[in-house]
Amino acid sequence: MYNKTAYEMGTNGCTIRELAAYGAARAQIVGEENVFNFTIGNPSLPAPREVTDTVRDILDNMDNLAIHSYTSATGDLAARKAIAKDLNNRFGTDITADELFLGCGASPELCAVFGALSMDGGEIIAIAPYFSEYEPFAQSAGCTLKVVAADVPNFQIRLDAVEAAITPNTVAIIINSPNNPSGVVYTRKTLEQLAELLNRKAKEYGHAIYIVADEPYRELAYDGVEVPFIPTIYKDTIVCYSYSKSLSLPGERIGYIYVPRQATDGPELYTAVAGAARGIGHICAPSLWQHVIARCAHLQPDLTEYDRNRKALYEGLRQAGYEVAKPDGAFYMFVKAPGGDSMAFCEKAKGKDLLVVPGEGFGCPGWFRLCYCVSYEKILRSLEVFRALV
Ligand code: PLP
């Protein structure tokens, strides 16, 4: 006997991971240099030197038991204070440690937040294209995910479509900016208009509608583009942050949830987040990494290499005749499939050992995603293959 829903989630494997595994297998046969694997969002930059130095220092000098012990359920106080200080310095906020909950990266944090918001028939809105894992996260928390298309091809939020999707059961809308998979950053104007809409609807229905800001890519923005800190625009915002991308630590599982005390039912919601996290066994983010964050929360990534890749790929693809969403952030590019059939295009590309992810899995057929966390040299060589495919 087993849970059929869980079985389905297990069988509907993640296309990205499958494609990435295929790429790794092909590399064994034809050589790594001959596979253009643009699939998985694994940072290609090493973690900053300060991070690795801090790990060494902690291992060498901190009490061994203290390094590896359970921390409090909400996380090490020094780490929460360091995060609060960094956010306050950068965004002019007055966040305190007791509004922060240390988590094992954005994935379980989103599960905990959805669990905290979940009510009978609770609906959560996502803007397509969206990170496909929202589906199982929402489902496991007993919420229904309602998908609303973005404004193609600029991929900003379509407010009329969001308004049409809001019902009395709407508990939250997920905002992921910079966006995976589009690479688009939602503008301040878009977010202000969204805030105005949500305030109006919350008033109409007599309950809060939260923004769940899924922010693993907050620090990855180029050309000076602003990534607004959404709690300063809309008070009912819960932030799920991750150091997976900004500090290149996806395998270490560390991030935080910020539940503002000024949010509607803020303190209760914080407790509910901690309770929901407990309910999924999310009791302690890796202690070593909590201690690292206590010292490294202020670090910013050096984006020079990603930016070089981004520019070369964007220019190269456009010159080859591809339509590309303007990639202001993250390390993804969303490209219109020539001929309009993204599945067919990705299959054809696969035949040339060029691995890209069809938009179907992101709720946006007709487009495909590229992750440009590969070497610059490979980006340049891949353009030849892209040109042949167009
Ligand atoms: N949200 C988005 C939009 C992502 O792209 C990812 C990972 O790729 C996550 C959440 C999960 O990140 P984490 O590694 O912190 O669980």
Side-chain angles (χ1 to χ4, degrees):
M1 276 217 322
Y2 54 87
N3 177 314
K4 296 278 188 300
T5 312
Y7 178 81
E8 265 168 37
M9 281 194 235
T11 349
N12 296 336
C14 171
T15 315
I16 301 172
R17 286 185 193 284
E18 281 163 14
L19 270 170
Y22 172 83
R26 276 298 287 167
Q28 297 288 323
I29 301 166
V30 297
E32 204 279 324
E33 69 284 6
N34 296 316
V35 180
F36 301 99
N37 192 341
F38 290 100
T39 54
I40 202 160
N42 242 337
S44 53
L45 297 179
R49 181 67 196 267
E50 291 91 326
V51 168
T52 42
D53 283 351
T54 305
V55 174
R56 274 192 206 97
D57 187 53
I58 289 174
L59 290 175
D60 287 345
N61 297 312
M62 204 172 145
D63 172 62
N64 183 284
L65 268 182
I67 299 173
H68 302 295
S69 296
Y70 289 124
T71 61
S72 72
T74 52
D76 176 61
L77 184 60
R80 287 184 288 127
K81 279 186 172 168
I83 294 164
K85 187 173 167 202
D86 174 58
L87 292 173
N88 295 338
N89 284 343
R90 287 163 59 208
F91 302 117
T93 43
D94 64 347
I95 299 169
T96 52
D98 55 1
E99 296 166 279
L100 296 166
F101 181 95
L102 287 187
C104 302
S107 304
E109 290 162 13
L110 288 164
C111 293
V113 170
F114 293 169
L117 294 173
S118 160
M119 326 189 170
D120 265 356
E123 293 169 357
I124 296 180
I125 295 175
I127 312 289
Y130 63 98
F131 180 52
S132 49
E133 299 303 282
Y134 294 155
E135 207 83 60
F137 296 169
Q139 197 179 350
S140 300
C143 300
T144 306
L145 195 72
K146 259 184 127 169
V147 178
V148 171
D151 191 11
V152 181
N154 68 35
F155 291 98
Q156 293 289 316
I157 301 168
R158 272 190 53 200
L159 293 161
D160 56 341
V162 172
E163 178 156 10
I166 296 177
T167 74
N169 294 329
T170 305
V171 291
I173 174 166
I174 309 166
I175 297 298
N176 168 227
S177 174
N179 183 265
N180 173 11
S182 72
V184 164
V185 177
Y186 297 146
T187 64
R188 175 171 284 277
K189 188 166 168 230
T190 299
L191 295 169
E192 283 173 353
Q193 288 172 341
L194 177 68
E196 193 274 321
L197 167 65
L198 295 179
N199 277 323
R200 184 158 50 78
K201 291 308 249 184
K203 208 164 164 194
E204 181 183 334
Y205 292 133
H207 63 80
I209 301 175
Y210 295 93
I211 286 182
V212 177
D214 176 24
E215 301 203 327
Y217 304 99
R218 190 203 296 138
E219 269 65 63
L220 278 64
Y222 310 95
D223 297 334
V225 163
E226 184 198 15
V227 180
F229 187 55
I230 305 177
T232 60
I233 295 177
Y234 185 65
K235 80 172 172 62
D236 285 339
T237 300
I238 306 164
V239 174
C240 293
Y241 187 81
S242 166
Y243 293 97
S244 290
K245 319 289 174 166
S246 58
L247 296 185
S248 296
L249 298 172
E252 307 301 353
R253 316 309 304 144
I254 187 78
Y256 62 83
I257 303 170
Y258 164 46
V259 186
R261 59 183 177 281
Q262 299 92 338
T264 307
D265 298 328
E268 293 79 8
L269 196 52
Y270 180 92
T271 307
V273 166
R278 184 181 172 201
I280 53 172
H282 183 295
I283 46 126
C284 179
S287 306
L288 170 62
W289 290 97
Q290 295 195 40
H291 301 312
V292 173
I293 293 305
R295 301 206 212 159
C296 295
H298 63 284
L299 293 180
Q300 292 289 312
D302 176 354
L303 301 179
T304 316
E305 279 187 33
Y306 290 155
D307 197 21
R308 190 163 76 139
N309 285 359
R310 179 184 73 106
K311 287 193 173 114
L313 198 55
Y314 184 59
E315 292 309 325
L317 287 174
R318 279 163 49 100
Q319 275 164 19
Y322 287 87
E323 181 176 346
V324 188
K326 194 164 170 282
D328 284 330
F331 38 47
Y332 303 108
M333 224 169 268
F334 213 44
V335 187
K336 196 165 184 184
D341 183 339
S342 36
M343 294 297 267
F345 178 85
C346 294
E347 235 358 79
K348 199 167 137 193
K350 198 172 165 190
K352 293 185 182 298
D353 286 322
L354 176 73
L355 305 177
V356 297
V357 184
E360 273 76 357
F362 305 109
C364 195
W367 293 70
F368 63 90
R369 187 191 82 171
L370 295 171
C371 171
Y372 50 84
C373 290
V374 300
S375 71
Y376 181 64
E377 184 267 330
K378 213 171 231 190
I379 299 262
L380 297 183
R381 284 200 297 119
S382 75
L383 289 172
E384 195 57 44
V385 188
F386 278 112
R387 278 192 284 270
L389 282 165
V390 75

